[in-house]
Amino acid sequence: MILRLKKVFRYICIYGIERTLFKIFGRLRVLNIFLPTLRVKNIGLIGCGQFGFATIGYFVFKKAPSLFLAAYDINKNNQVSFEKFYNLEHTPDIKYIFSNPKIAIVYIASNHFSHTTYAIEAIKNNKIVYLEKPISVTHSQLKDLVRCVSTHNVSIYAGYNRPFSGAIMDLKKAIKIFEKKPITLSCFISGHFIDKNHWYREPQEGTRICGNVGHWIDLAIHIFCWRRLPRKYIISIAYSNADEFDDNIAITITTELNDLISIVLTARSDPFEGINETINFQYDQTIAKIDDFRLMTIWQKEKLIKKKYRPKDVGHKNAILQPFAINDYKREWNEIEISTLLMLFIKDMVIDREVSGVFDLDSEWSKIVDEATNTII
């Protein structure tokens, strides 16, 4: 009990009281804080697990209480508890979310393998789509999704949240103008310890490369796009244990523009405060260090900039509320497609225990799209 109270106190210091309460509600599923309807309900949620409940649910609730109209989860305990919390009628079939004309926005936070299928169905039914990461876990899925998006007039957003964090947005502003100079980016992540029987471990779910490492692959692609996207990526992978091939892993990427990217995921124990990450960055005269998205220090020659982010800002708010257009920070969907393509290439390397490979962006992209739609940033 003392340990749990200590954890609650620590989370309040990091995230604030309200979000900590939502995290607790997401675990307990017993407290109903439903507020009277303030706006027309028009949101459907697919996937009522901890993330759907305590992260998507929290930020949507903060933006506009009672916008949820329907929810669905293959885990009926998760679905029913979410429905009770928001005073929703029970949704017996997922088709209701896609076919209901009152639902304008569909948030998808289900298991990874199902993301693409649900997104395509929502797009075909003219919904605004918020798709949690990863958007696809196979090349076949990505090809289907790219084709669907390119042939429909659709608003689709992805749940890669680091680019929407205060630190990354502030870093981009501090650099201002990018010339064609090399970038160094180092990400050290202390991730959650995941049991061998966790659903992430199911073969079809894409390993922890899709489930976790994709975040920092996507961040690297996003930062490259501030300048110019490289075309060739030389990839090296070090495995600490071949029997745990997607845990405790180091990935290094260099490009023809002399960029250097390193991503280290360590998961030897469960961090008491949740995922912890340190990001170091250098471009020309700018050096930056981001400490767990709570503190950023920027050095530009003699200039020193320090910024604190309280509560901790990993970018969830701005990412999740993209369908509401709450700020001017936008991402091109093609960025997400490219980062996913690179992620899938690395995932396949990891599954095959490969230690080196060369990712040719133009060649890999041509395998995904038809020549008629072969446009790239």
Side-chain angles (χ1 to χ4, degrees), residues 74-349:
I74 58 174
N75 182 319
K76 292 309 168 188
N77 289 332
N78 285 347
Q79 178 180 335
V80 170
S81 60
F82 188 93
E83 289 170 335
K84 287 182 178 178
F85 190 86
Y86 287 96
N87 197 22
L88 308 179
E89 293 184 5
H90 182 62
T91 299
D93 192 327
I94 194 171
K95 294 179 181 178
Y96 173 83
I97 290 179
F98 299 130
S99 62
N100 190 334
K102 293 181 180 179
I103 294 178
I105 304 171
V106 175
Y107 279 82
I108 300 170
S110 50
N111 64 299
H112 301 157
F113 182 72
S114 67
H115 285 183
T116 298
T117 302
Y118 289 151
I120 289 174
E121 191 65 26
I123 290 169
K124 289 180 177 178
N125 283 275
N126 300 311
K127 309 299 185 186
I128 297 169
V129 178
Y130 176 91
L131 182 57
E132 254 310 313
K133 59 80 189 169
I135 65 170
S136 299
V137 296
T138 68
H139 286 84
S140 177
Q141 284 188 343
L142 180 60
K143 187 173 184 177
D144 290 343
L145 183 60
V146 168
R147 282 180 171 174
C148 182
V149 170
S150 67
T151 55
H152 290 77
N153 183 18
V154 62
S155 295
I156 184 169
Y157 307 95
Y160 286 109
N161 48 278
R162 267 69 179 177
F164 292 91
S165 65
I168 296 300
M169 291 191 289
D170 288 341
L171 178 59
K172 183 180 180 182
K173 291 176 184 176
I175 296 172
K176 294 181 181 177
I177 298 175
F178 256 79
E179 298 175 6
K180 294 177 183 178
K181 295 183 178 180
I183 295 166
T184 299
L185 179 70
S186 175
C187 306
F188 184 94
I189 305 102
S190 297
H192 287 297
F193 178 82
I194 296 178
D195 292 326
K196 290 187 177 181
N197 61 352
H198 192 279
W199 66 266
Y200 265 45
R201 306 294 192 191
E202 295 295 327
Q204 74 271 18
E205 298 297 343
T207 77
R208 294 195 75 167
I209 302 302
C210 294
N212 297 116
V213 177
H215 267 302
W216 297 277
I217 295 172
D218 178 74
L219 178 60
I221 292 296
H222 178 64
I223 291 176
F224 282 155
C225 289
W226 295 350
R227 178 204 57 192
R228 178 164 70 86
L229 197 62
R231 317 311 287 184
K232 292 187 183 298
Y233 302 70
I234 300 172
I235 302 165
S236 300
I237 303 177
Y239 308 87
S240 68
N241 185 339
D243 294 329
E244 299 174 346
F245 59 96
D246 60 347
D247 272 331
N248 305 302
I249 188 174
I251 301 168
T252 302
I253 303 172
T254 57
T255 76
E256 84 276 10
L257 300 179
N258 300 320
D259 302 309
L260 174 60
I261 308 298
S262 68
I263 303 170
V264 175
L265 172 66
T266 179
R268 302 187 187 278
S269 64
D270 207 51
F272 189 73
E273 296 178 351
I275 291 177
N276 186 291
E277 56 198 283
T278 302
I279 295 175
N280 288 278
F281 169 90
Q282 185 170 19
Y283 168 80
D284 196 21
Q285 299 295 324
T286 299
I287 300 171
K289 179 181 180 181
I290 300 172
D291 186 0
D292 202 32
F293 289 96
R294 305 186 214 181
L295 173 68
M296 179 169 68
T297 305
I298 299 175
W299 296 266
Q300 292 176 316
K301 293 185 178 180
E302 77 284 355
K303 187 177 180 181
L304 175 65
I305 303 170
K306 290 190 175 184
K307 290 181 174 288
K308 291 184 178 181
Y309 303 93
R310 189 174 296 171
K312 176 180 175 178
D313 179 14
V314 187
H316 280 137
K317 175 183 176 181
N318 289 329
I320 288 168
L321 296 184
Q322 287 178 86
F324 296 92
I326 63 168
N327 59 55
D328 296 328
Y329 200 80
K330 306 293 182 184
R331 291 194 70 185
E332 295 292 333
W333 178 253
N334 199 213
E335 271 189 39
I336 313 297
E337 295 172 335
I338 298 307
S339 77
T340 300
L341 189 58
L342 177 57
M343 177 196 72
L344 293 176
F345 186 90
I346 294 173
K347 179 209 74 171
D348 289 344
M349 286 182 64

